Amino acid sequence: MLFSTVTSLLASYLAVRLHDSAPTPEPAQPPPLQFELRHLHAVSPDARVVFHDVHKSNVDTLNTTGEPSTYALHPRRIKAQRPRSLDAFNHARVRSMRFQETEAIDWDEIEVEGPDVESRQTLLLLAKMTNNAYLEPGETGWYELGDQWNVGYPVGWEPDDDGFRGHVFATPDNSTVVLSIKGTSAAFIGGGGPTAKKDKFNDNLLFSCCCARVDWTWTTVCGCYRGGWKCDQNCLEEALTEESLFYPIGTNLYNNLTYLYPESNIWMVGHSLGGALASLLGITFGAPTVAIESPGEKMAASRLHLPSPPEVQHITHLYHTADPIAMGTCNGVLSSCALGGYAMESKCHIGKSIVYDTVSNLSWAVDIRTHTIVNVIEKLLADPWPPSLEVGREVPEAKPEEACVECYSWDFGEYQPGTK
């Protein structure tokens, strides 16, 4: 009797221990999302956001380029911080600009589906979609995105010739919308085109230390330089709020998009200037964002007086160490950026960054020509990354940038014109 009792108790104890030590099953991965091109967006000469609908009757299938026939873009659950009230957000921003006073606002932490930034294939698709935002419908250079993306172009569309443009993709049930924003069209890095002038103006205002004042030979993009290494901070901040600039146009675009898709979860994606603008909008509206090869946008966010949420893990940057623009090293009078007329002096990014060390692992030289989105697609994301595979990952781990300093030589303050 005693033996059977002891045996029964021992069996029960072992069963409990084995149950407790059993590995917890991994949560099921959400099914891939299928997107289709819905709209092309641009800006009219009078700064109005305009959309061109992509009707199925007017869509031509792009020629295949040897890419696989299907793609799976996997989402994942992420936490994002959104202002509880956009009115309160804007009020705090205006108070900071006018009175240099910080006003606390309430933030809601929400859990939403965002792009799986740990998936190489997902990042590859987003990069391809971002590349296509540079091109006009029918222009050579489009990437075929496969059956997971219904990609085409409407007949007869002509984009605005002077600035902000891109594409809007959506799932068939409109549950998720992706807004892609074109980056800088610069001839000296393989681009160019009708938007180059406006792109350069925004680059030089958003990412230079003081109005693109590189040396005495430069024509500045705003009148805030006060001699020596002095720059009028208030003047800079006022220059960034002009309605003709990309950030206010971007907020208008986002508001228009939420009017069209009031119940949708919106993702942001962009390359270079487009990536920085996507990040700024991601901070403003709490939208999951992937910014590819973006110049540092943290300084611009500060000058725009954007209230900072408690966490910014929904913002993800992707770049490599041979890209001098994303690394913040394309500056100085003799830099390739300066020779092209660009004062790219910022380096600090918001959120977390996926950094491919192409200098150490691939022996790439630091070169402005590596900044193109095509380079990211064909040489970074097209094939597995060996250093990540060695540690059981598909891409480098996204990490926040620590102890980042920029424009340390400049003295920013309240300086009147003529101050020396």
Side-chain angles (χ1 to χ4, degrees):
M1 179 69 178
L2 180 61
F3 177 76
S4 63
T5 302
V6 170
T7 302
S8 176
L9 289 173
L10 182 60
S12 300
Y13 173 78
L14 290 174
V16 171
R17 294 289 295 175
L18 289 172
H19 179 269
D20 290 343
S21 62
T24 303
E26 292 289 331
Q29 188 179 40
L33 297 178
Q34 179 178 338
F35 289 84
E36 58 190 12
L37 183 61
R38 292 289 183 82
H39 315 281
L40 309 176
H41 68 80
V43 179
S44 66
D46 59 352
R48 290 183 301 108
V49 173
V50 293
F51 291 94
H52 185 108
D53 295 337
V54 180
H55 300 290
K56 293 186 182 300
S57 59
N58 292 332
V59 171
D60 294 332
T61 303
L62 296 173
N63 295 327
T64 60
T65 59
E67 294 291 313
S69 60
T70 60
Y71 285 91
L73 190 154
H74 288 280
R76 65 166 183 158
R77 303 297 293 180
I78 64 171
K79 291 181 180 179
Q81 300 279 345
R82 289 181 179 171
R84 186 166 299 170
S85 165
L86 282 176
D87 287 339
F89 180 95
N90 291 323
H91 184 272
R93 183 174 169 232
V94 170
R95 183 171 180 174
S96 177
M97 285 189 292
R98 291 182 178 176
F99 307 109
Q100 287 74 52
E101 294 178 355
T102 301
E103 179 177 316
I105 66 171
D106 294 324
W107 299 86
D108 290 328
E109 182 177 276
I110 59 172
E111 189 172 282
V112 296
E113 280 195 340
D116 184 359
V117 296
E118 296 184 358
S119 165
R120 179 178 61 85
Q121 199 63 230
T122 295
L123 293 174
L124 177 62
L125 276 176
L126 291 173
K128 288 182 176 181
M129 180 171 57
T130 305
N131 170 77
N132 292 349
Y134 280 88
L135 305 173
E136 297 183 18
E139 186 177 347
T140 59
W142 283 66
Y143 281 93
E144 174 63 36
L145 302 182
D147 292 343
Q148 289 297 111
W149 303 79
N150 179 20
V151 181
Y153 57 89
V155 176
W157 179 73
E158 294 181 1
D160 179 75
D161 284 344
D162 196 24
F164 200 106
R165 75 170 190 237
H167 296 150
V168 177
F169 291 79
T171 54
D173 62 356
N174 293 337
S175 62
T176 305
V177 172
V178 178
L179 173 63
S180 75
I181 304 174
K182 183 189 75 65
T184 302
S185 296
F188 77 109
I189 55 173
T195 69
K197 182 178 179 181
K198 183 69 69 70
D199 294 344
K200 178 183 285 189
F201 178 81
N202 280 276
D203 278 333
N204 283 339
L205 191 54
L206 287 169
F207 310 122
S208 71
C209 294
C210 185
C211 304
R213 167 73 186 196
V214 176
D215 72 359
W216 65 272
T217 63
W218 280 60
T219 301
T220 57
V221 294
C222 56
C224 308
Y225 175 66
R226 297 295 182 257
W229 292 96
K230 295 183 175 67
C231 192
D232 190 310
Q233 182 73 19
N234 292 333
C235 174
L236 271 178
E237 293 166 0
E238 289 175 6
L240 261 67
T241 61
E242 292 292 330
E243 288 300 317
S244 61
L245 296 183
F246 279 14
Y247 173 75
I249 292 175
T251 57
N252 189 23
L253 169 64
Y254 189 95
N255 289 328
N256 275 271
L257 198 59
T258 56
Y259 180 81
L260 292 174
Y261 298 96
E263 304 299 325
S264 300
N265 179 30
I266 297 177
W267 300 354
M268 312 289 300
V269 63
H271 171 256
S272 192
L273 170 63
L277 293 166
S279 176
L280 295 175
L281 295 176
I283 296 166
T284 303
F285 298 103
T289 301
V290 175
I292 303 173
E293 293 190 311
S294 162
E297 85 288 22
K298 194 170 186 177
M299 181 168 62
S302 175
R303 291 176 177 177
L304 287 164
H305 289 264
L306 302 186
S308 180
E311 295 285 343
V312 284
Q313 57 181 302
H314 60 287
I315 309 291
T316 303
H317 288 269
L318 184 153
Y319 58 92
H320 60 85
T321 55
D323 179 1
I325 291 179
M327 292 293 292
T329 60
C330 196
N331 47 58
V333 177
L334 299 179
S335 68
S336 52
C337 287
L339 294 175
Y342 289 80
M344 308 298 290
E345 298 168 318
S346 65
K347 65 180 295 187
C348 303
H349 298 90
I350 294 170
K352 295 184 177 182
S353 297
I354 298 171
V355 183
Y356 283 78
D357 190 353
T358 53
V359 173
S360 298
N361 292 294
L362 298 181
S363 299
W364 286 12
V366 176
D367 191 323
I368 188 68
R369 291 170 294 183
T370 67
H371 181 68
T372 65
I373 186 65
V374 173
N375 189 70
V376 172
I377 293 169
E378 297 182 351
K379 297 183 179 179
L380 278 190
L381 297 175
D383 299 310
W385 182 246
S388 294
L389 292 178
E390 291 174 1
V391 294
R393 301 182 57 85
E394 293 187 24
V395 300
E397 182 182 359
K399 299 178 181 179
E401 298 179 3
E402 303 289 349
C404 183
V405 179
E406 54 198 350
C407 297
Y408 56 86
S409 298
W410 284 88
D411 183 13
F412 298 97
E414 295 185 17
Y415 296 109
Q416 297 302 316
T419 301
K420 298 294 184 182

